[in-house]
Amino acid sequence: MTERKLTDEQLARAKRLFRDGMSIDDIAALIVAEETEVEKETEKLSRKDIPWDEIELSFSTGFPIKKIAERYGISESTIKSKAKLNNWSIDAATAVIARSEAKLAGLADPAETIEKQKEAVDAAVDARTAVVALHRAEWKKHREWTETIRKEDDIAEYRKAKLAAETIKLRQAGERVAWGFEEAAVGGPISISWQE
């Protein structure tokens, strides 16, 4: 049997436990059991067959840890350890948007399965991307229009372009609020970090 040295932290803890009346054999068994548990958790964290990117997405959008653990066949403590190790955080703004989009997409309970949640997030991303693309296209078209007006130097057309720009600006501002772009931009993301 090879002799192992205790870390300073383990030694200090062993001394406290001994002073509190625990036997040396019990202290040794406790330390070995804890080290074995740490080794098991470390082994789980490094397994290649666990889709950690999917788990992180679910975690960051507020999916319940218990359901994630059940879905992937790992312990809640393993997920918590991985989250703490990698500084995962729950982005409340993203979670609210994802779950709202899921309900708008007709999913009764967006947190029921991870697949439904991913579908809702993908649908929300596609819809929001389409809105941004439309806004950019409108301004590109407006720019092209004003370039032709400048060549013709037509004051009446300039007035129409100004009125059109104001209309586009107001409508797009309303759409940005309706789609939730403004809340995220003004307040920034709200993060909740995992603390043990």
Side-chain angles (χ1 to χ4, degrees), residues 24 42 48 58 62 65 95 103 107 124 132 135 145 177 184 194:
I24 291 174
T42 303
K48 301 289 184 208
S58 299
I65 293 174
K103 284 186 179 180
L107 301 174
V132 172
H135 287 185
W145 181 28
V177 169
W194 179 258

Side-chain angles (χ1 to χ4, degrees), residues 41 44-45 52 74-83:
E41 289 299 316
K44 283 181 190 175
L45 291 176
W52 288 113
I74 54 179
S75 69
E76 291 179 51
S77 63
T78 300
I79 295 169
K80 291 174 186 177
S81 296
K82 183 76 169 182

Side-chain angles (χ1 to χ4, degrees), residues 92-106:
T94 301
V96 168
I97 290 168
R99 290 185 177 181
S100 297
E101 293 299 331
K103 284 186 179 180
L104 289 170

Side-chain angles (χ1 to χ4, degrees), residues 5-15 31 34-35:
K5 288 190 169 187
L6 296 178
T7 65
D8 291 340
E9 185 179 308
Q10 288 173 325
L11 186 58
R13 183 163 176 239
K15 287 178 181 178
I31 289 171
E34 288 174 348
E35 285 179 350

